[in-house]
Amino acid sequence: MERHGITAVPLTVVLGDRALEEGTEISTRSLAQALQKRRPVTTSRPNPELFAETYRRIAESGADGIVSLHLSAELSGTHDAAVVAAREAPVPVRVVDTGMIAMALGFCALAAAETAEAGGTVDEAVTAAEKRAAGTSAYFYVDTLDYLRRGGRIGAAQALFGSALAVKPLLQLEGGRIEPLEKVRTASKAIARLEEIAADRAGGAPVDIAVHHLAAPDRASALADRLRDRVPGLADLHVSEVGAVIGAHTGPGLLGVVVSSR
């Protein structure tokens, strides 16, 4: 973000009766501890006025157009809030539903920023982001589907896919939604299968990969090392803990892989 001048508008984590801004007022460690203690945790989109204020500030800094990229509208109302704010913005704003989350969205933002830095127009930056999204896949493992069910990101029937059958679920981002991918009997086999799926998806073409986790740094580091050895076309490899908003819906133990074609 600092290197490319990308501005972020934070979402909110609601912990009990306290609304906390992601990235500044709540850490992923605090979130993981709250979840493990089964404290009530929900999330909230930014309100349109926060987007409007951000658009005004960017315009005042000299921008003559804004590309506003958002996590999947199937999972959050953030995109809709941005659309409302964009109508009153002092410069043209292109609001884009990338259908992505986490670094899958990050790769789209980087593509747009790099296009703008090379002299591209707003439309060309949007096209670059959309092209990157079309070539990006996200797969992930969770210890339990209960957090996704509680947050309304999957239905009760999908939650049974994991809990009633006593399996470890692998999930994927498909059409902007979280969908079941495979059922695996143990955590170790699920993580091995996650690695295999990601490596097969990467193939031999140039790709960037991100490995995400929540309260599982050793697992993430080990998976990243194995992917580094298995993916011949690997360009950039990012390893990071997810933010508190995503973590609130996945729970501790999350392990995810984003594969993005260059």
Side-chain angles (χ1 to χ4, degrees):
M1 287 170 55
E2 291 174 1
R3 186 181 307 128
H4 297 281
I6 297 169
T7 300
V9 176
L11 278 73
T12 299
V13 175
V14 182
L15 187 58
D17 58 357
R18 298 176 62 209
L20 304 168
E21 187 179 278
E22 181 181 51
T24 58
E25 296 179 330
I26 183 170
S27 67
T28 48
R29 176 175 295 181
S30 298
L31 170 82
Q33 291 172 345
L35 291 172
Q36 287 163 344
K37 294 176 181 176
R38 302 191 68 81
R39 293 181 63 188
V41 180
T42 58
T43 58
S44 175
R45 71 176 190 181
N47 62 50
E49 180 51 39
L50 183 54
F51 278 115
E53 179 186 324
T54 302
Y55 295 153
R56 284 194 298 268
R57 187 172 69 251
I58 293 171
E60 288 167 1
S61 73
D64 55 15
I66 297 171
V67 178
S68 190
L69 303 170
H70 300 279
L71 74 164
S72 172
E74 294 282 346
L75 300 175
S76 171
T78 303
H79 172 269
D80 294 342
V83 169
V84 171
R87 295 176 186 142
E88 307 299 327
V91 296
V93 179
R94 288 287 303 277
V95 180
V96 181
D97 172 15
T98 66
M100 299 285 124
I101 55 174
M103 196 58 198
L105 169 58
F107 287 131
C108 297
L110 288 174
E114 288 163 1
T115 299
E117 288 166 4
T121 65
V122 165
D123 287 345
E124 287 169 339
V126 169
T127 298
E130 291 175 338
K131 183 177 180 181
R132 195 68 189 255
T136 298
S137 302
Y139 311 99
F140 54 107
Y141 158 85
V142 289
D143 278 333
T144 172
L145 291 171
D146 190 44
Y147 297 103
L148 285 163
R149 179 192 58 77
R150 280 192 240 165
R153 267 55 185 184
I154 62 170
Q158 287 176 294
L160 285 173
F161 170 91
S163 57
L165 299 175
V167 299
K168 293 297 183 181
L170 291 178
L171 306 164
Q172 65 180 333
L173 197 60
E174 183 70 30
R177 296 181 299 275
I178 296 169
E179 302 286 356
L181 180 60
E182 291 185 6
K183 298 175 290 185
V184 186
R185 284 294 177 186
T186 66
S188 60
K189 289 181 179 178
I191 294 169
R193 181 62 182 140
L194 178 65
E195 175 190 337
E196 185 177 353
I197 290 168
D200 288 347
R201 163 64 180 80
V207 295
D208 296 324
I209 289 178
V211 176
H212 288 307
H213 71 92
L214 179 62
D218 294 342
R219 275 182 177 176
S221 179
L223 176 57
D225 288 342
R226 294 194 299 272
L227 287 171
R228 190 179 285 111
D229 292 336
R230 289 190 63 165
V231 179
L234 181 62
D236 288 336
L237 176 64
H238 306 263
V239 182
S240 65
E241 195 161 32
V242 294
V245 168
I246 291 177
H249 293 290
T250 60
L254 163 74
L255 200 58
V257 181
V258 176
V259 181
S260 185
S261 300
R262 286 209 158 196

